[in-house]
Amino acid sequence: MKNFKFLFGLALFSLFISCKQEEKNTEYFNSNETGIKIGGVKMITIETPKGKFKVWTKRYGNNPKIKLLLLNGGPGMSHEYFECMESFLPKEGIEFIYYDQLGTGFSDNPNDTTMWDLPRYVEEVEQVRVALNLNKDNFYLLGHSWGGILGMQYALKYQQNMKGLIVSNMMASCPKYGEYSKVLEKQMNPDVLKTIKELEAKKDYSNPKYMELLMANFYNQHILRKPVNQWPEPVNRAFSRLNSSLYITMQGPSELGISGKLTNWDVSKELKNITIPTLVVGAKYDTMDPEYMKWMASQFPKGTYLYCANGSHMSLYDDQQTYMNGLIGFLKK
């Protein structure tokens, strides 16, 4: 009889937990949309020196305490390579928001290179934050690659509106990034590097051989460590939408170093001024120096470092479990 009571009580407890979990999941997928529901998509009107434009956002989930806005890299790629987040964050109850910056993905493209400007993008992020009702009690910003530059620059001006920052696979100094690219060059086959440099000297970047050599000898080693023909579909889709005007204006035409408007960008001495909790993600095979990334984490007053020992620039794919476990742990802590 005692065993029966114990088992009955255990069954009731399990049912209670299950109901609570179901209630939690229901809350997470609750929609705040009114009228015709469109899956969390919101087109946000932003003000710029050249007039008004619309940028695309999409909310996934609902968590009043953790709202993660994703800043994609490139510059010039779309949000789409972040779609792997859907396999990890919803089951942890973490709300995240896709966002195509102006000139990328599903957002307006003014086709005006004067608009490709870091301070203007900082103000754009702030307008997006306001439109999405994100605040210091729930707003986390994850910037990957170029998005990391944008995230750090945004935090230096607007950290009072934030709960936390994640700088993913990006150094705080473009000159240092340029120096590290020379280190990686030395690891390449000398004959391959010679051909790449000859094509760059001629500014023959549209030559199919140029990208073919980079893909086979650099991208599959330092961007995403898989044979290029095995790259995940969301990554390929994001690359296929790359806004080359934005990329070349900001980064320059070559992946081996930097020569665009960001060439001299450096906030390494200002990291001490970002006082919110900050996670820095570095990876062994990244285009960014993992030792420098580790140093960066020590410069933030509340900085922590996540090292992806098997990862490269896209460590959210090629060292996925390490990356996602570290990200989720940071957000929940």
Side-chain angles (χ1 to χ4, degrees):
M1 187 65 176
K2 285 182 180 178
N3 284 343
F4 173 77
K5 286 182 178 178
F6 172 76
L7 291 172
F8 182 68
L10 188 62
L12 282 177
F13 179 72
S14 298
L15 182 62
F16 173 76
I17 293 297
S18 177
C19 288
K20 281 293 182 184
Q21 188 65 43
E22 188 175 329
E23 183 182 316
K24 181 181 177 182
N25 289 341
T26 302
E27 288 174 3
Y28 179 76
F29 288 109
N30 269 350
S31 171
N32 296 323
E33 294 174 304
T34 56
I36 297 174
K37 299 186 187 302
I38 53 173
V41 172
K42 183 173 185 177
M43 298 299 293
I44 296 171
T45 300
I46 57 163
E47 303 268 359
T48 79
K50 296 293 183 75
K52 295 181 179 180
F53 296 93
K54 288 187 179 294
V55 294
W56 181 96
T57 67
K58 178 180 172 69
R59 181 175 68 89
Y60 202 106
N62 178 32
N63 184 333
K65 294 182 179 178
I66 304 177
K67 298 179 184 292
L68 179 66
L69 182 65
L70 303 171
L71 300 180
N72 56 265
M77 290 179 71
S78 71
H79 74 279
E80 290 161 291
Y81 70 90
F82 281 129
E83 288 176 357
C84 60
M85 299 285 184
E86 294 175 28
S87 298
F88 297 90
L89 302 190
K91 62 185 176 184
E92 299 294 335
I94 295 169
E95 176 183 336
F96 58 101
I97 303 155
Y98 296 131
Y99 157 40
D100 282 336
Q101 300 149 29
L102 189 67
T104 72
F106 303 128
S107 294
D108 286 348
N109 182 1
N111 289 311
D112 182 346
T113 56
T114 64
M115 301 285 283
W116 315 146
D117 184 67
L118 179 56
R120 193 209 60 75
Y121 273 113
V122 167
E123 298 311 314
E124 178 182 316
V125 173
E126 175 61 4
Q127 291 182 61
V128 168
R129 179 196 70 80
V130 171
L132 294 173
N133 297 312
L134 309 177
N135 59 58
K136 62 182 177 61
D137 298 318
N138 56 35
F139 175 35
Y140 290 88
L141 191 62
L142 185 155
H144 174 257
S145 191
W146 140 255
I149 291 178
L150 181 52
M152 284 182 271
Q153 200 69 59
Y154 176 85
L156 284 166
K157 187 171 184 179
Y158 290 114
Q159 65 179 308
Q160 70 274 12
N161 300 323
M162 301 171 67
K163 192 173 182 180
L165 172 68
I166 300 98
V167 180
S168 178
N169 308 88
M170 188 64 227
M171 297 163 69
S173 167
C174 284
K176 291 290 185 185
Y177 156 48
E179 288 175 18
Y180 190 64
S181 70
K182 305 303 178 191
V183 175
L184 297 182
E185 280 182 14
K186 293 175 183 175
Q187 299 173 15
M188 294 177 71
N189 179 306
D191 292 332
V192 170
L193 181 61
K194 182 174 180 288
T195 304
I196 289 173
K197 289 297 185 182
E198 286 172 353
L199 290 168
E200 287 188 346
K202 297 175 186 175
K203 299 191 183 302
D204 194 7
Y205 297 104
S206 60
N207 189 320
K209 190 174 184 65
Y210 179 71
M211 190 51 69
E212 180 185 317
L213 288 172
L214 276 178
M215 282 288 191
N217 297 277
F218 188 80
Y219 276 54
N220 65 356
Q221 295 296 313
H222 301 292
I223 301 296
L224 202 164
R225 288 178 67 79
K226 295 243 178 230
V228 175
N229 62 2
Q230 294 177 26
W231 277 18
E233 191 274 341
V235 176
N236 291 332
R237 195 164 8 109
F239 265 100
S240 73
R241 291 186 192 277
L242 178 70
N243 181 336
S244 57
S245 164
L246 174 49
Y247 182 83
I248 292 171
T249 301
M250 302 289 276
Q251 153 78 25
S254 172
E255 191 67 50
L256 302 177
I258 185 164
S259 59
K261 288 173 74 171
L262 294 170
T263 299
N264 298 314
W265 178 84
D266 190 331
V267 295
S268 52
K269 293 180 180 177
E270 299 176 62
L271 300 182
K272 63 182 184 296
N273 299 324
I274 298 177
T275 57
I276 54 174
T278 302
L279 175 67
V280 180
V281 184
K284 181 176 181 179
Y285 303 101
D286 201 346
T287 52
M288 306 294 159
D289 183 357
E291 283 302 312
Y292 181 92
M293 304 284 285
K294 184 179 180 181
W295 171 84
M296 271 176 64
S298 73
Q299 299 306 294
F300 295 104
K302 296 180 181 176
T304 52
Y305 184 52
L306 174 64
Y307 179 60
C308 296
N310 298 309
S312 64
H313 199 55
M314 286 278 188
S315 50
L316 70 168
Y317 280 97
D318 53 22
D319 199 354
Q320 198 164 65
Q321 212 60 52
T322 303
Y323 187 100
M324 294 300 174
N325 287 344
L327 172 61
I328 290 164
F330 174 77
L331 292 171
K332 298 190 101 171
K333 184 173 72 175

